[in-house]
Amino acid sequence: MRKTIFVCIACFSILALPAQINWPKATATNKPWTRWWWEGSAVNEEGLRWNLEQYREAGIGGTEITPIYGIHGQEQNFVDFLSPRWMELFSFTLKESKRLGLGVDLANGTGWPFGGPWVKDADASKSIYLKTYSLTAEQQLKEPVVYVQEGFVRTANNKTVALSAVRNPVSDNKNLQELALDQVQFPGKLPLKALVAYPEKGAPVALTGRVDASGKLSWTAPAAGKNWTLYALFEGLHGKMVERAAPGGEGYAIDHFSKQAALNYFKRFDQAFKGYDIGYLRSFFNDSYEVDDARGQANWTPTFLSEFKKRKGYDLLNQLPALFGKDHADKNSRVIYDYRSVIDELLLEHFTVEWKKWSDGKGKMLRNQSHGSPANTLDLYSVVDIPETEGNDILRFKFATSAANVTGKQLVSSESATWLNEHFLSSWGDVKKAIDLYFLGGVNHIFYHGMEYSPRTAAWPGWLFYAAVHFQPVNPQWKDFHALNTYITRVQSFLQKGRPDNDLLLYYPIIDRYSEPGNALLQHFDGMEKNFVNTAFEAVSKDMIEKGYGFDFFSDRQLQHFAFTSGNIVSGGNQYRSILLPANHFITDESFEKLLSLVKAGATLLVYKELPVDVPGLYQLDSRRNRLAGLTRQLRFTSQGNTKKATIGKGAVWISEDLDALMQAGSVRKEKLDDKDIYILRRKNADGRVYFINNRTDRQVEEWVTLKNDATSVALLDAMSGAKGLARWRKKEGAVEVLVQLEPYASLLIQLFDTDRKGDPFPYQDRSGAPVVIKGSWALRFLEGGPILPAQQTIQTLGSWTDMEGPAVKDFSGRARYTVTFNRPGNAARYLLNLGVVHETAEVILNGKRLATLIGPSFTTVIPASALGKTNKLEITVANLMANRIAYMDRNQLPWKIFYNTNMPARLKENVKDGLFNAAGWKPLPSGLLGPVTLTPLK
């Protein structure tokens, strides 16, 4: 298997005296936070206090409250969202959180997307529908200009609901939790928005005012036009409902393109907050757009035509054939670009900016998932205080982290560990691997997905959310959760300080995609998925990740704020060495003019393959094309090997198909050796630079890592064990080489100091002998869990407890303790204790003293000689997954699926039975201490 090390440069600050290397003092923001679902908002003061105390004890730094659907049997405890009682509970939560030192964010709605019962038809998401008619010269239209919507209903709970059973308006339905509506369109005629007649040749004719209430058109097609095509636009409700809505939150999703809809939406919160102190609240939150997760598209707003004319300078009604792809290819491309760019502007200005103004008025920050929307993700992220990403792809993360870096934001959050595996199948080690990938992508503010408010008395497995890891006190691994949280806290205490140290700014060519007609009017953007597959932009981005070049994406709007100062391109207070255009076909003349102004000031512009050759859009096309051509003519290239160079002003423009040659021309550092898989991202701080190194293989790694920076001193810090000290390092050809030792999927922080530091050496694990297996009789005692506690046993050979006789051990999920005595194996100064294979977490106690809590994927810790006697007692408490007990419950049809709305879906089709998740077919998963347990003498 290939040896893979990801290296992420994180922000780091060494505190205290020069002679010491210490971990920073942790803050609440350094700690991992969590989404906190309130099911049915069926919470009470006692339960809130108990849940929050559990979180604080486990090392959580704060919560984001998101109410969702309710629990069967708890109907009498449901509390309507934003009602006076709900506000009392929210206020209590703020006070308790402040007492416990926990931060609080609040979702500006229930479930997702924004919406609710106060969203009336005028403010709900809209769709535009097209109907065409054909006429010949001197002919009148016989059929009425009418669009009759058939209507339909879709639910989120796999239950069929007759449309006749749903009342209109939706808010009149008293059983919305039971209905679990996802999208509703009621039957009937849709209002006519516009009717325009287009001749084979000549100007279109507006006919909207000639249609009466019955749809009859009073108009005869002129002879001069020969054959005419009539385009009729009808406006209707898209019908998308709030998904996973809580009681009091069910209703239509808002029209994100309407300023008035946004203003009206937030008025409901103004009313609810009146008279309550929300001063302790840190931030409001919005989940990803996801209005498109429905039939059809939310692609219209009532004022769109006037907004379009104001922004683009022409009447869209004169270009409807091109809008719907029926004109010649070039015009189709230009009109669809204009349409999509107006949608982009409306989503940015009418929703995101208005939301920001509203939150600023409350003195609160905004945390937003901008991905998945039909607009420029980078620009949407730029408006808010904390961009948030999700998923498992570094390039997807980079849209949030790039927006933060380019605009100078300090925090980037992530919805972390969403549905890593089927519910009940994720270990803390699995979560750590996912979290490390976020760190490598530049995220520094982890939000678990997530925790469920669950009463202390709730039957096992408690209340839960389907698409999540079970971050709950009833999880057998919960008592070891603090180890994962301490690890994340230590890493984030570095990542949240300092500044990024990326060299390159990579242009985001969204206008190429806006100009690409398709089957739908809108595209929705989420990382590289769908929109940029097999493009040069994707290829360049992946290549730079693989080769270790540090870069950030930037947008046309962000570009206008760039400056060139002291030999660097500066944006958001951060410095970059060069800009790269990724073979994009289109660019606006304004953007290209700005790029050349930076070059004239001294910047380096890199062009992959070829310069952009055209401007997008239709309005004033000739003048904009001429302007771009004039700018391009300023560049006079000469060949230099496999590159071409044009000097203009104090800077230069380079063109090449060789990406590495471009990077060299742009002085972009490559923090990676050709013979190693080493991925590098950088951050810098007052002390120098810091690297977060993560071994993402299942093999041990010991090697010298080359870092392309200078240093006077170098420190290593292990965020999992807490070990720290001065590294073994050496200088070589203007770089620094540092010796690292990494267990499978382990990580280290490397701090390069600009000044001399003194201190203890880092405790490397240099072996002085072969591993010795700890043998003997192991006492196995089951401590807590269920469905029943198996009997205590004595075993000679370690293995999964599910391999033992009887159903009790095969169905058991919980914690068990292994105890053995052993003699000291020699006189080494230290020993490496390796537990071998563990399912899933382990607490290690030696001679009555806690040694370590290990969460995997590897399970090792160092024992100092002073901790060992001639004879020693080793106790290892192991927690397994919840899977075996859930399988037992499903095999015996014991009730635990108690949820409204979705009850509950499976992640994988092989776990589906009767349309829902079912674990009855699962075989017992390995559990416990499988070993072998060894001691290896260390120098």
Side-chain angles (χ1 to χ4, degrees):
M1 189 170 183
R2 295 175 70 196
K3 189 182 294 184
T4 304
I5 304 177
F6 285 79
V7 180
C8 174
I9 295 182
C11 120
F12 176 86
S13 176
I14 296 294
L15 301 183
L17 300 174
Q20 301 199 3
I21 299 168
N22 288 324
W23 296 98
K25 183 179 180 181
T27 67
T29 307
N30 295 156
K31 297 177 182 180
W33 288 36
T34 184
R35 183 166 300 177
W36 192 21
W37 290 291
W38 287 7
E39 283 196 317
S41 295
V43 303
N44 57 50
E45 286 82 356
E46 179 184 359
L48 289 167
R49 179 182 292 112
W50 180 78
N51 276 261
L52 289 169
E53 287 173 347
Q54 302 308 302
Y55 304 160
R56 193 270 306 266
E57 185 176 342
I60 297 298
T63 64
E64 166 223 304
I65 300 169
T66 299
I68 56 169
Y69 51 80
I71 300 287
H72 285 287
Q74 291 291 323
E75 292 81 1
Q76 71 279 8
N77 296 320
F78 288 175
V79 180
D80 280 351
F81 181 55
L82 298 182
S83 66
R85 175 57 180 158
W86 195 94
M87 285 303 304
E88 290 175 4
L89 293 164
F90 176 52
S91 298
F92 177 83
T93 301
L94 291 174
K95 292 176 183 177
E96 280 297 294
S97 297
K98 184 177 182 180
R99 177 181 70 85
L100 296 169
L102 299 173
V104 183
D105 289 355
L106 174 67
N108 262 134
T110 74
W112 63 88
F114 282 3
W118 62 93
V119 177
K120 305 306 179 186
D121 289 6
D123 292 338
S125 59
K126 306 290 192 306
S127 298
I128 199 70
Y129 299 89
L130 171 68
K131 194 170 182 180
T132 59
Y133 307 86
S134 297
L135 284 177
T136 58
E138 300 182 348
Q139 184 182 29
Q140 287 191 341
L141 187 65
K142 295 181 179 180
E143 65 176 297
V145 182
V146 171
Y147 190 101
V148 179
Q149 183 171 263
E150 294 183 358
F152 80 101
V153 60
R154 186 174 69 178
T155 67
N157 59 7
N158 292 326
K159 294 181 180 179
T160 301
V161 173
L163 185 57
S164 59
V166 181
R167 294 182 178 180
N168 187 8
V170 172
S171 56
D172 282 355
N173 294 274
K174 305 302 180 184
N175 58 337
L176 287 172
Q177 284 290 296
E178 185 68 38
L179 287 172
L181 300 175
D182 183 70
Q183 189 178 11
V184 178
Q185 291 181 351
F186 293 102
K189 293 182 180 180
L190 298 184
L192 177 67
K193 191 70 177 179
L195 179 66
V196 184
Y198 296 84
E200 287 185 31
K201 292 183 179 180
V205 179
L207 299 176
T208 312
R210 293 173 176 264
V211 182
D212 67 16
S214 67
K216 179 177 175 55
L217 172 62
S218 299
W219 180 74
T220 301
K226 293 186 178 180
N227 296 320
W228 293 76
T229 303
L230 279 58
Y231 279 69
L233 298 183
F234 300 87
E235 182 183 281
L237 292 178
H238 177 237
K240 173 65 179 177
M241 307 288 290
V242 177
E243 197 166 340
R244 314 301 186 217
E250 310 99 332
Y252 285 128
I254 69 166
D255 176 358
H256 286 78
F257 315 130
S258 166
K259 180 177 179 179
Q260 191 59 51
L263 294 175
N264 291 342
Y265 182 78
F266 295 116
K267 284 179 183 177
R268 177 69 186 91
F269 289 87
D270 294 333
Q271 296 166 355
F273 292 160
K274 191 174 182 180
Y276 293 92
D277 181 6
I278 64 168
Y280 187 69
L281 181 70
R282 182 188 74 160
S283 177
F284 293 107
F285 172 70
N286 178 39
D287 206 329
S288 51
Y289 181 78
E290 295 194 49
V291 183
D292 61 307
D293 185 17
R295 181 192 292 186
Q297 290 190 325
N299 55 19
W300 199 256
T301 192
T303 60
F304 186 82
L305 291 173
S306 60
E307 290 285 355
F308 185 95
K309 188 171 185 179
K310 178 176 67 175
R311 296 165 188 270
K312 293 301 175 183
Y314 67 92
D315 192 340
L316 182 60
L317 293 181
N318 291 333
Q319 302 295 342
L320 291 182
L323 176 65
F324 292 100
K326 302 300 183 182
D327 211 311
H328 61 81
D330 185 66
K331 183 177 280 190
N332 293 343
S333 169
R334 296 184 180 284
V335 173
I336 195 66
Y337 165 82
D338 285 339
Y339 162 80
R340 290 168 177 166
S341 63
V342 170
I343 287 287
D344 174 299
E345 293 175 13
L346 295 179
L347 181 56
L348 175 67
E349 298 170 16
H350 286 182
F351 172 72
T352 312
V353 171
E354 289 302 320
W355 183 35
K356 177 61 173 161
K357 290 178 182 176
W358 177 81
S359 69
D360 285 347
K362 298 264 185 298
K364 306 303 173 190
M365 294 196 296
L366 285 188
R367 214 178 92 241
N368 189 39
Q369 295 182 3
S370 299
H371 50 270
S373 72
N376 193 316
T377 307
L378 297 174
D379 294 328
L380 300 180
Y381 276 137
S382 295
V383 172
V384 301
D385 302 285
I386 307 176
E388 178 161 300
T389 185
E390 62 178 311
N392 55 10
D393 178 21
I394 285 182
L395 283 179
R396 189 187 196 194
F397 306 158
K398 280 191 90 57
F399 283 87
T401 59
S402 293
N405 293 343
V406 169
T407 58
K409 303 179 192 306
Q410 206 66 24
L411 295 177
V412 184
S413 60
S414 62
E415 176 190 302
S416 310
T418 304
W419 235 350
L420 282 186
N421 203 330
E422 203 71 84
H423 203 102
F424 312 113
L425 289 182
S426 296
S427 70
W428 296 159
D430 296 329
V431 174
K432 178 193 178 294
K433 287 192 283 187
I435 298 300
D436 283 341
L437 194 64
Y438 282 112
F439 290 155
L440 295 168
V443 171
N444 61 8
H445 191 22
I446 296 297
F447 272 75
Y448 290 129
H449 189 270
M451 295 180 184
E452 188 83 43
Y453 170 95
S454 189
R456 188 180 348 197
T457 56
W460 197 91
W463 299 2
L464 60 88
F465 184 78
Y466 64 99
V469 174
H470 206 88
F471 295 109
Q472 300 283 76
V474 297
N475 188 328
Q477 302 173 85
W478 181 263
K479 290 185 178 179
D480 300 324
F481 192 25
H482 65 90
L484 174 61
N485 295 329
T486 299
Y487 166 78
I488 293 172
T489 300
R490 286 171 173 158
V491 175
Q492 291 191 157
S493 67
F494 304 143
L495 296 179
Q496 290 177 8
K497 297 179 181 178
R499 287 188 174 274
D501 193 27
N502 294 326
D503 290 336
L504 183 71
L505 287 158
L506 175 59
Y507 177 68
Y508 178 39
I510 195 170
I511 61 176
D512 278 20
R513 301 283 73 79
Y514 280 174
S515 301
E516 188 175 87
N519 294 327
L521 288 178
L522 292 179
Q523 301 178 43
H524 295 80
F525 296 87
D526 196 346
M528 292 290 174
E529 293 179 5
K530 299 179 182 177
N531 310 91
F532 295 97
V533 174
N534 298 324
T535 64
F537 175 59
E538 180 192 49
V540 165
S541 299
K542 286 184 175 180
D543 199 27
M544 289 195 297
I545 288 286
E546 292 296 320
K547 291 179 177 178
Y549 295 116
F551 68 95
D552 285 320
F553 300 131
F554 73 94
S555 72
D556 291 273
R557 289 186 181 97
Q558 292 168 344
L559 169 62
Q560 296 304 319
H561 299 284
F562 291 179
F564 187 81
T565 306
S566 302
N568 292 290
I569 303 159
V570 178
S571 180
N574 296 315
Q575 297 177 343
Y576 299 87
R577 296 184 178 184
S578 54
I579 294 174
L580 175 64
L581 299 181
N584 46 300
H585 180 82
F586 290 106
I587 196 166
T588 66
D589 46 324
E590 293 90 352
S591 288
F592 199 72
E593 182 178 47
K594 177 65 177 181
L595 288 171
L596 289 192
S597 72
L598 292 169
V599 174
K600 290 174 182 177
T604 300
L605 175 62
L606 310 174
V607 181
Y608 182 60
K609 291 187 176 180
E610 60 183 1
L611 283 165
V613 297
D614 205 351
V615 294
L618 187 63
Y619 181 61
Q620 294 184 343
L621 177 58
D622 290 339
S623 64
R624 290 187 294 114
R625 272 179 166 166
N626 290 336
R627 188 177 178 209
L628 179 63
L631 292 168
T632 304
R633 282 195 295 270
Q634 297 180 37
L635 303 176
R636 300 183 182 277
F637 290 95
T638 59
S639 295
Q640 298 189 9
N642 61 351
T643 65
K644 294 188 295 183
K645 179 183 179 183
T647 300
I648 178 170
K650 298 178 181 180
V653 180
W654 297 78
I655 299 179
S656 181
E657 294 187 5
D658 185 336
L659 184 63
D660 290 321
L662 286 175
M663 296 299 100
Q664 186 175 356
S667 301
V668 181
R669 287 166 287 181
K670 183 179 181 181
E671 295 267 22
K672 182 178 177 185
L673 299 180
D674 292 335
D675 60 345
K676 297 177 181 178
D677 270 339
I678 300 177
Y679 296 73
I680 298 180
L681 295 158
R682 282 185 306 272
R683 289 184 72 91
K684 54 190 175 183
N685 54 51
D687 293 319
R689 287 175 172 83
V690 69
Y691 296 74
F692 174 78
I693 305 181
N694 181 216
N695 172 20
R696 296 195 70 78
T697 75
D698 58 2
R699 294 185 177 185
Q700 292 180 333
V701 171
E702 178 171 341
E703 61 186 62
W704 290 87
V705 174
T706 301
L707 308 175
K708 293 289 184 70
N709 284 292
D710 195 9
T712 302
S713 297
V714 180
L716 285 182
L717 299 101
D718 182 347
M720 184 57 74
S721 69
K724 60 189 186 307
L726 293 173
R728 297 176 193 168
W729 68 287
R730 60 200 182 197
K731 291 187 177 183
K732 183 178 180 181
E733 298 175 358
V736 169
E737 292 185 334
V738 183
L739 180 64
V740 298
Q741 297 172 330
L742 292 165
E743 294 290 327
Y745 296 99
S747 64
L748 285 171
L749 289 156
I750 304 178
Q751 172 72 47
L752 305 187
F753 292 104
D754 293 334
T755 58
D756 187 41
R757 292 295 174 111
K758 306 295 182 183
D760 294 331
F762 183 80
Y764 286 93
Q765 298 175 10
D766 300 324
R767 305 186 181 196
S768 61
V772 176
V773 178
I774 294 179
K775 298 179 180 179
S777 297
W778 292 82
L780 173 58
R781 180 184 170 210
F782 293 89
L783 304 177
E784 58 184 358
I788 62 172
L789 283 180
Q792 182 171 332
Q793 301 192 36
T794 300
I795 55 178
Q796 302 300 318
T797 303
L798 292 173
S800 173
W801 69 54
T802 59
D803 292 336
M804 299 175 181
E805 295 296 325
V809 288
K810 298 182 184 343
D811 298 337
F812 181 75
S813 291
R815 298 173 66 83
R817 180 171 297 151
Y818 295 79
T819 305
V820 69
T821 58
F822 67 95
N823 294 327
R824 179 172 176 158
N827 295 307
R830 299 177 299 150
Y831 290 89
L832 179 67
L833 175 66
N834 189 332
L835 303 185
V837 178
V838 177
H839 292 287
E840 300 295 330
T841 62
E843 182 185 43
V844 181
I845 297 175
L846 179 64
N847 298 325
K849 294 184 178 180
R850 179 187 169 278
L851 200 63
T853 299
L854 307 175
I855 63 170
S858 58
F859 294 85
T860 62
T861 189
V862 174
I863 302 176
S866 59
L868 289 168
K870 182 177 180 180
T871 302
N872 302 276
K873 179 181 179 182
L874 179 64
E875 299 171 277
I876 304 170
T877 301
V878 178
N880 71 336
L881 297 174
M882 304 173 73
N884 293 342
R885 187 171 178 180
I886 283 293
Y888 159 81
M889 295 184 75
D890 277 351
R891 283 195 300 271
N892 291 277
Q893 299 180 356
L894 300 177
W896 65 269
K897 299 168 195 168
I898 53 176
F899 316 105
Y900 278 98
N901 194 278
T902 179
N903 192 31
M904 69 178 233
R907 182 176 182 269
L908 303 174
K909 62 181 180 181
E910 56 263 34
N911 296 319
V912 176
K913 182 179 180 181
D914 298 327
L916 297 176
F917 168 83
N918 191 292
W922 287 0
K923 294 181 180 179
L925 295 180
S927 301
L929 179 63
L930 279 63
V933 179
T934 62
L935 285 171
T936 302
L938 303 177
K939 295 179 183 178

